[in-house]
Amino acid sequence: MRLHLVAFALASGFLALIALPAHAGGGMLRLDKLLDQAERMVTDTALPIAKENQLGKKLAKETEKENKLHSSKEVQQYVARVGKKVAREAKDTPKGIKYTFKVIDDDETVNAFALPGGHIYVYSGLLKLASDEAELASVLGHEVAHVSQRHIAERLVAGVGLEKLIGIAAGKHQEDLAGLAGQLAGQGAMLSFGREQESDADEHGLPYAVAAGYDPEGFVRLFGKLKKGEGPGFLVFLASHPLPSERIEDAQAQIAKMKDKKGKTNEAAYRKMLEQL
Ligand SMILES: [Zn+2]
């Protein structure tokens, strides 16, 4: 049944692309782009946004049961404000997704993650590693892009299977919910993103942060620190976000092409927020 659905979506995807060559801007259709679009179409058909939201709500509830949110209202509001600014620029987000940003009180974990439906969480360990708002915005942009590009939906459909996902969204298989929430929070590598999705999230996420007015070099600074990092907290980040050096080089190449590179860092405000951690 699932295979038939996928085959149908693939076939209709390819037909739509062949019938509409203007789609590719009049240029040559690139096979990798075509495959990306076909995969996206499969996901859109298999797990529509309403279902993704339903699943996301359940996973967010589970995540907040398993983890302690930071008690400082100022910290929560600060991160939510930066996140909303960045998310507002993610204009390619599918309709129906509403982003939320929350801080988990855990200084030992240097990570951030997104759940289906746009629930984004940052660990206090990552907030402490960053030195300004532009660095935070770069990681939030990256997580927003995992949602806007439907990477999470794709990863879930591929890793868990459609029937089970739909079941969980509908309130069945509750015993699988905690495991799934843990996997998505980066505690397990089974559902970690692939290299391509990581580059794709960087490519889309950095412009979100820059359009929100932030210094693009924030990405290079923060990801440079993440790459150098040692200790178990960093291993969690590396398990859920493969971090080859090309990612930093790619971002630098992307920044070199940007017209406006003079975004803000809001370092003073960021330092003030850190005092609450
Ligand atoms: Zn990522």
Side-chain angles (χ1 to χ4, degrees):
M1 158 70 189
R2 192 166 84 218
L3 273 178
H4 285 164
L5 185 67
V6 170
F8 171 75
L10 266 171
S12 52
F14 278 119
L15 285 175
L17 284 168
I18 291 159
L20 291 166
H23 224 70
M28 279 262 288
L29 280 176
R30 283 181 50 195
L31 187 62
D32 55 345
K33 288 267 173 228
L34 223 129
L35 285 170
D36 276 355
Q37 289 187 34
E39 197 180 357
R40 173 69 181 263
M41 221 166 281
V42 171
T43 308
D44 289 344
T45 312
L47 194 72
I49 296 298
K51 279 268 173 284
E52 180 175 334
N53 280 338
Q54 210 180 350
L55 187 65
K57 231 178 175 174
K58 289 211 155 44
L59 287 163
K61 209 170 159 195
E62 184 62 30
T63 298
E64 291 175 29
K65 209 169 78 189
E66 297 292 323
N67 298 275
K68 193 172 149 254
L69 293 184
H70 201 281
S71 59
S72 162
K73 221 172 138 190
E74 283 103 312
V75 169
Q76 295 291 354
Q77 284 172 345
Y78 184 97
V79 171
R81 196 176 60 241
V82 177
K84 290 234 157 95
K85 252 199 273 181
V86 171
R88 209 176 299 140
E89 302 303 329
K91 303 202 192 295
D92 47 357
T93 298
K95 244 187 155 157
I97 286 189
K98 213 173 148 263
Y99 292 99
T100 59
F101 300 86
K102 290 180 184 172
V103 179
I104 294 174
D105 190 359
D106 177 358
D107 290 354
E108 302 304 309
T109 305
V110 181
N111 204 10
F113 63 93
L115 295 180
H119 306 268
I120 292 169
Y121 296 86
V122 188
Y123 289 93
S124 53
L126 182 71
L127 290 183
K128 285 191 170 173
L129 180 76
S131 345
D132 63 48
E133 212 172 292
E135 293 183 24
L136 170 63
S138 75
V139 87
L140 295 180
H142 177 91
E143 295 305 326
V144 164
H146 276 316
V147 178
S148 71
Q149 304 310 303
R150 301 213 74 196
H151 295 160
I152 297 163
E154 279 171 18
R155 170 165 93 127
L156 280 168
V157 172
V160 180
L162 186 59
E163 275 143 88
K164 195 155 208 179
L165 276 185
I166 301 283
I168 294 172
K172 291 179 211 153
H173 316 296
Q174 290 310 290
E175 68 283 4
D176 295 320
L177 203 56
L180 199 55
Q183 283 282 334
L184 286 164
Q187 284 151 19
M190 185 191 103
L191 283 174
S192 72
F193 292 117
R195 226 165 228 248
E196 253 171 65
Q197 289 182 322
E198 287 305 323
S199 321
D200 197 37
D202 291 345
E203 208 178 296
H204 286 86
L206 183 57
Y208 297 160
V210 173
Y214 290 108
D215 171 23
E217 294 289 340
F219 181 98
V220 178
R221 288 194 299 271
L222 184 72
F223 281 75
K225 282 185 259 187
L226 285 164
K227 203 177 151 237
K228 266 193 265 152
E230 282 167 6
F234 286 98
L235 285 179
V236 171
F237 182 87
L238 292 175
S240 60
H241 296 76
L243 194 62
S245 28
E246 298 100 85
R247 284 183 60 194
I248 296 172
E249 286 160 25
D250 289 350
Q252 280 165 327
Q254 207 182 352
I255 294 167
K257 282 188 242 154
M258 285 176 183
K259 283 192 198 102
D260 187 11
K261 296 171 204 174
K262 286 200 188 67
K264 54 183 184 291
T265 58
N266 287 353
E267 206 183 327
Y270 193 81
R271 279 186 194 286
K272 240 181 122 190
M273 179 276 292
L274 283 184
E275 286 166 19
Q276 311 290 316
L277 277 184

